[in-house]
Amino acid sequence: MQKKRILFFDCFSGISGDMTLGALLDLGLDRQVFLQELEKLHVDGYKISFNKAVKNGITGNYVKVHLEHEVREGHEIHEHQHHPQEHHHEHRNLMDINRIIEESGITSGAKDLSKRIFLRVAKAEAKVHNRKLEEVHFHEVGAVDSIVDIVGTAILIDMLRPDMVCASIIQDGSGFIHCQHGKLAVPVPAVSEIFAASDAITRQIDINTELVTPTGAAIIAELASSYGNMPEMNVQKIGWGAGTKDLEIPNLLKVSLGEIVNVDGRFQDKDDQVLVLETNLDDCTGEFLGYVMERLFEQGALDVFFTPIYMKKNRPAYRMTAICVPEDMKKIEEIIFLHTTTIGLRKRLESRTVLPRAKEVIPTRYGELEVKKVTAGAEERIYPEYESAKKLAMQQGVPLKEIYQCIYEAE
């Protein structure tokens, strides 16, 4: 058995870059290490403050990036070293930002994550303004504070190294806000396009303001592999990141860090969830179906099977069912669409109860045999792995049933 570290973002009051920094730092990460990594970015013209803010009685970590002329009294300010070779530009394009990231001294993991987040914003801005990607010049996101928000988030995620990041349904407000382009409806176009290009699940709530910023949308769209209720996990730490607004609901981002048990490479909670994908096929040959089954298993499908059915006009057909963990959905879908004739898939989440299992190798009179040991209460069951048993049977020139019988002798 192994354990996996899980980060769960509860976006009940939206998400922004500064809320993300506050929540992740509130998990207990070393602030000085974080600041030392930020200095490797070689960007000047800003200072950063760390404070506490109370929202509806809940205290959150409030992290704010200030441009030099915006520094306010009463904040705990960390002043960064200035780097004359790097000057603040009012607008930057994606190439400028990628150059800053690549030339920095942060880790390769933080660099890659930063660039992926910025790419999501650039694509959304290009779509909204009907421009080519290389023609997009960022405004808010290209400013120093948002560069620090995004790269800072990537640094903190690289420090945490979670095995999985998931999120709640992301809640945004409603109504209108004022911005550089005038009055815009919430969610603003960039946020809408970022989420439309992701698997994020969102909804609007009756709060008359913006809760999700483009920076926050891009961060969670890049990080989260699934959206919904918090998975069954042993929560070890909780971080609260405070936003700037005073609302009917607490303007906070809650991030939980915990562990779940992982057996045999897959989640094995008592009641975990799997994704079931189905499609009906009446114009696909048996050879094609056999081939796609092999490919699906190679890519991590938990099970694949075919059910004979009759479709319209009594045409004989097959229903193909593939079962996988939710985070494998994209690659499983791609294989089905690429290697079958289907033009649509049905999918649903289902809960399952599984028994603890472990792979082992046992000695037999024909050689070593890979088996799966399953625990059911006080009883332990042993099942031979088919491919291993087949290989032994062919090598020794004995019937397959002889190899299967060996597990009883091994006991």
Side-chain angles (χ1 to χ4, degrees):
M1 282 192 183
Q2 296 179 339
K3 292 183 178 180
K4 282 197 172 185
R5 283 161 57 85
I6 307 297
L7 267 183
F8 178 74
F9 282 71
D10 191 351
C11 305
F12 63 85
S13 187
I15 183 171
S16 65
D18 51 3
M19 292 168 76
T20 303
L21 289 181
L24 293 176
L25 282 167
D26 202 35
L27 292 172
L29 292 174
D30 191 314
R31 184 191 298 179
Q32 290 307 312
V33 173
F34 167 67
L35 291 172
Q36 288 166 12
E37 288 298 305
L38 267 183
E39 287 182 355
K40 297 176 182 178
L41 193 57
H42 302 309
V43 170
D44 66 350
Y46 75 95
K47 297 178 182 180
I48 188 166
S49 64
F50 303 89
N51 290 276
K52 296 293 184 181
V54 179
K55 302 291 181 179
N56 298 40
I58 303 171
T59 302
N61 220 17
Y62 181 59
V63 178
K64 181 65 178 175
V65 179
H66 307 271
L67 299 184
E68 286 187 333
H69 63 278
E70 295 176 340
V71 176
R72 301 171 183 172
E73 293 182 0
H75 289 282
E76 177 194 343
I77 301 293
H78 175 88
E79 186 156 355
H80 286 267
Q81 177 183 354
H82 288 258
H83 303 273
Q85 74 274 19
E86 188 62 54
H87 300 285
H88 171 62
H89 297 281
E90 187 175 1
H91 302 307
R92 290 183 170 98
N93 62 24
L94 187 62
M95 186 178 298
D96 296 327
I97 292 171
N98 284 342
R99 177 182 56 81
I100 292 170
I101 294 170
E102 276 303 318
E103 292 178 357
S104 74
I106 64 176
T107 65
S108 59
K111 286 181 180 179
D112 290 343
L113 179 54
S114 300
K115 290 190 292 185
R116 293 199 305 270
I117 294 171
F118 270 112
L119 180 60
R120 285 184 180 270
V121 182
K123 287 181 175 178
E125 293 285 353
K127 178 77 177 296
V128 170
H129 300 296
N130 193 28
R131 293 180 179 272
K132 295 180 180 178
L133 197 60
E134 60 270 20
E135 295 174 344
V136 172
H137 282 76
F138 297 107
H139 300 296
E140 285 104 341
V141 176
V144 171
D145 56 345
S146 292
I147 291 176
V148 176
D149 281 345
I150 289 175
V151 178
T153 294
I155 289 170
L156 293 172
I157 292 295
D158 192 64
M159 290 170 66
L160 280 168
R161 300 282 178 95
D163 296 300
M164 176 181 286
V165 179
C166 45
S168 67
I169 294 173
I170 303 162
Q171 299 198 144
D172 203 350
S174 58
F176 296 85
I177 62 162
H178 292 277
C179 70
Q180 182 177 2
H181 301 289
K183 206 169 185 179
L184 294 179
V186 177
V188 297
V191 168
S192 298
E193 292 294 344
I194 288 168
F195 285 149
S198 73
D199 295 323
I201 300 175
T202 67
R203 67 172 162 227
Q204 287 183 275
I205 58 176
D206 190 20
I207 299 293
N208 189 28
T209 188
E210 176 189 48
L211 297 179
V212 179
T213 66
T215 301
I219 287 170
I220 199 62
E222 182 59 40
L223 289 179
S225 60
S226 63
Y227 301 85
N229 293 331
M230 187 175 76
E232 295 182 2
M233 57 190 272
N234 170 233
V235 176
Q236 298 168 334
K237 294 180 181 178
I238 295 176
W240 298 90
T244 60
K245 300 176 180 178
D246 294 317
L247 308 170
E248 300 170 41
I249 62 174
N251 189 207
L252 294 164
L253 173 67
K254 177 184 176 184
V255 178
S256 301
L257 175 64
E259 291 182 337
I260 63 174
V261 174
N262 178 29
V263 181
D264 192 23
R266 301 188 180 105
F267 294 128
Q268 299 296 325
D269 298 300
K270 287 184 178 179
D271 187 23
D272 67 4
Q273 288 190 317
V274 292
L275 188 69
V276 180
L277 299 97
E278 287 185 346
T279 185
N280 295 348
L281 301 162
D282 64 355
D283 56 351
C284 210
T285 70
E287 290 87 350
F288 291 168
L289 296 180
Y291 178 73
V292 74
M293 174 184 278
E294 292 176 5
R295 294 299 309 277
L296 289 168
F297 279 125
E298 287 172 3
Q299 293 300 314
L302 304 178
D303 200 3
V304 182
F305 56 92
F306 299 97
T307 307
I309 59 173
Y310 288 94
M311 293 176 63
K312 58 186 178 183
K313 299 182 180 178
N314 277 336
R315 289 200 300 266
Y318 291 96
R319 174 180 299 136
M320 184 177 75
T321 305
I323 302 174
C324 66
V325 292
E327 56 265 32
D328 286 345
M329 178 185 72
K330 282 186 179 178
K331 62 182 181 181
I332 296 299
E333 283 185 340
E334 287 173 0
I335 291 170
I336 294 173
F337 282 125
L338 181 62
H339 297 292
T340 73
T341 55
T342 189
I343 58 173
L345 288 171
R346 300 179 297 278
K347 51 191 176 185
R348 61 185 181 274
L349 279 174
E350 292 189 356
S351 297
R352 64 173 186 169
T353 301
V354 295
L355 296 174
R357 67 190 74 177
K359 285 185 177 180
E360 293 188 10
V361 176
I362 63 173
T364 73
R365 54 194 168 98
Y366 294 113
E368 292 188 335
L369 175 65
E370 294 179 9
V371 299
K372 184 183 296 176
K373 285 192 174 181
V374 177
T375 304
E379 181 184 0
E380 187 178 76
R381 304 168 187 168
I382 300 178
Y383 300 98
E385 294 286 2
Y386 170 73
E387 291 296 336
S388 178
K390 183 180 81 169
K391 182 178 179 180
L392 273 185
M394 295 179 68
Q395 288 176 344
Q396 300 297 328
V398 298
L400 184 63
K401 64 181 180 181
E402 290 286 336
I403 305 299
Y404 273 64
Q405 187 66 28
C406 287
I407 64 171
Y408 302 109
E409 298 172 3
E411 294 176 355

